Amino acid sequence: NDEISEAEISHQFDTLLAQMNPEFDHEEALDTVQMEMEDFLQGEVYHVDKKENKQSFGDWLRSKINVYNVIFALKVSILAAIGVCVTSIFHMPKGYMIPLYVGITAQPYIELSKQNVKKRIINTLFAGIILVIAFSVSHILWLHLLLTVVLCLIGDMFFEFDFTTMMGTMSSVVLSTLQAPDQVYTLIFYRVGYIAAACILLQIVDALIFPNTIPKTITKQVKQTLAINDKLRCVLSSNNCTYDTVHEILMEKRRANQRIRNTNRFAKNDGITAFLMAEEEWINRLSMINHRLKEKNYQMGDLFTMVNTAAESGNTVTLSHLETNLVITINEVLADISKAEQLIADMKQQQTAAIAA
């Protein structure tokens, strides 16, 4: 049970801290115990935050509906509709292939679309050539299938076929050939022709109508998450900073970084990965601090009010060991936020230098 374990372990650590007198050279021991407690609670709090941040189906659906997704869906739908209209007007056989291949090949980003188009056309041609050779040798069905398998194995050694595309093409043609053995070459021709037409149309539309690239998307998402950092700084510097305010911002921050993480699965940018790891570290740390303050019936603003009031009056303020550690840790988190942001700044400088070179 997460709530019991967090409360009990926190109580045990606090009891231990209370029994250790910092006046008798126990600072190092105190710091060690405090670090152990923070490491444990960080994992506990992160787990609780993940549960609280779990989206309902409605929230998940709304998060997927954005301008780029709508535009992508419209482009694919319009292309598929145009394909159906053209094949219907000219009474072209196998007209269902056009919307099928448009849906299979289309990708939300130009880079992925180009990769998928290239892979789809090349592997479909390979599959077509293998089938033509296999079905030209004999009229015996089992021999056709045997030659197809052998040629696939040999060809894969040299060309590294895409398994999904090859199997899709071959299974479709072979199953259709079982019904109409004399139509094998026609089926191969139509399949290659329709895939080439769908791929060419997709490239034209992607290039001309609202092109969406992975770097552009990541840049926009990083800009959004950095804006949340600025909002967090404003909140933390306010004397009215509450648990709920910080918690909501951290949940918003996790969602923003998850969007970057999803996009970076395609980009595989090491700089973005390092940035996300640095962000995750300070987010977990600040979450732990926020939960600890809630347990003590403190608000983050209370700590800053005590420190700021004392600084303005010129008096010294006496904080408990726990309060002192919390204030120090909050300042360290603010420094960690700046360090994470510096990773993005350094990456931009490197990109600018590479372009200039």
Side-chain angles (χ1 to χ4, degrees):
N1 187 304
D2 293 319
E3 294 181 1
I4 293 176
S5 63
E6 181 176 344
E8 287 298 321
I9 295 297
S10 299
H11 174 71
Q12 294 296 330
F13 272 119
D14 289 341
T15 302
L16 179 60
L17 282 171
Q19 293 174 352
M20 299 178 70
N21 189 341
E23 300 294 332
F24 297 105
D25 299 325
H26 288 298
E27 285 294 335
E28 184 177 350
L30 283 167
D31 291 340
T32 301
V33 173
Q34 186 70 24
M35 287 173 61
E36 292 291 339
M37 179 184 71
E38 289 181 0
D39 288 342
F40 174 81
L41 287 181
Q42 184 167 304
E44 291 291 306
V45 169
Y46 175 64
H47 183 57
V48 172
D49 283 350
K50 281 189 69 176
K51 286 168 54 178
E52 292 180 2
N53 196 34
K54 187 176 181 180
Q55 292 178 303
S56 65
F57 177 76
D59 292 335
W60 174 83
L61 187 61
R62 282 191 292 272
S63 70
K64 296 298 180 183
I65 300 176
N66 55 55
V67 174
Y68 287 116
N69 286 349
V70 171
I71 291 173
F72 172 68
L74 284 174
K75 288 196 291 187
V76 174
S77 301
I78 291 171
L79 271 177
I82 291 173
V84 171
C85 289
V86 170
T87 54
S88 299
I89 291 171
F90 293 98
H91 304 289
M92 299 171 67
K94 309 292 182 182
Y96 66 87
M97 288 185 176
I98 281 285
L100 177 64
Y101 296 147
V102 167
I104 291 174
T105 310
Q107 295 291 327
Y109 301 108
I110 290 178
E111 300 92 337
L112 298 180
S113 185
K114 287 180 179 179
Q115 292 174 8
N116 205 26
V117 162
K118 181 180 178 181
K119 179 179 69 177
R120 179 69 55 176
I121 291 178
I122 291 175
N123 283 273
T124 301
L125 284 173
F126 281 144
I129 293 170
I130 288 174
L131 288 170
V132 167
I133 295 173
F135 279 80
S136 299
V137 173
S138 170
H139 297 291
I140 303 173
L141 181 59
W142 69 264
L143 187 57
H144 292 165
L145 298 178
L146 179 61
L147 283 172
T148 301
V149 172
V150 172
L151 289 172
C152 282
L153 292 174
I154 295 174
D156 188 53
M157 296 177 186
F158 298 97
F159 302 107
E160 296 183 359
F161 297 144
D162 178 69
F163 178 78
T164 303
T165 305
M166 294 290 290
M167 288 302 298
T169 300
M170 290 188 173
S171 59
S172 175
V173 173
V174 170
L175 289 174
S176 300
T177 303
L178 293 176
Q179 299 176 353
D182 58 333
Q183 296 293 313
V184 59
Y185 302 117
T186 304
L187 290 170
I188 294 172
F189 172 78
Y190 278 124
R191 189 173 183 93
V192 173
Y194 281 138
I195 285 181
C199 291
I200 291 170
L201 286 173
L202 279 171
Q203 290 300 289
I204 294 173
V205 170
D206 278 341
L208 299 178
I209 303 176
F210 298 107
N212 186 24
T213 63
I214 295 174
K216 180 180 177 181
T217 302
I218 287 184
T219 299
K220 179 182 177 182
Q221 292 171 339
V222 168
K223 187 176 180 181
Q224 290 172 344
T225 198
L226 293 180
I228 298 174
N229 288 359
D230 293 334
K231 182 164 68 171
L232 180 61
R233 285 193 182 92
C234 291
V235 168
L236 292 179
S237 63
S238 170
N239 292 339
N240 298 320
C241 178
T242 65
Y243 167 84
D244 290 333
T245 306
V246 175
H247 184 69
E248 288 174 7
I249 293 176
L250 291 177
M251 292 300 99
E252 182 184 1
K253 184 72 179 175
R254 290 192 190 279
R255 289 191 289 270
N257 284 358
Q258 185 59 47
R259 288 193 290 270
I260 299 174
R261 193 173 288 108
N262 292 338
T263 306
N264 198 45
R265 287 190 296 110
F266 306 114
K268 295 182 174 65
N269 188 315
D270 292 337
I272 294 296
T273 301
F275 167 73
L276 291 173
M277 290 177 64
E279 289 269 288
E280 193 67 27
E281 184 176 343
W282 71 254
I283 289 172
N284 290 342
R285 226 176 152 191
L286 187 57
S287 295
M288 183 272 296
I289 296 169
N290 206 28
H291 279 266
R292 292 287 288 144
L293 288 171
K294 183 182 179 183
E295 288 176 4
K296 297 295 181 183
N297 293 321
Y298 282 164
Q299 292 185 2
M300 211 169 285
D302 296 337
L303 286 175
F304 287 109
T305 299
M306 286 190 291
V307 175
N308 292 337
T309 301
E312 290 172 0
S313 62
N315 299 325
T316 59
V317 59
T318 303
L319 299 176
S320 67
H321 188 80
L322 176 62
E323 291 170 342
T324 302
N325 278 350
L326 288 172
V327 171
I328 292 172
T329 307
I330 292 169
N331 288 326
E332 289 175 350
V333 167
L334 291 172
D336 289 341
I337 294 174
S338 298
K339 289 177 183 177
E341 292 173 339
Q342 187 59 42
L343 293 175
I344 294 296
D346 292 343
M347 190 171 63
K348 288 181 179 178
Q349 288 181 353
Q350 292 173 0
Q351 291 173 348
T352 303
I355 294 172

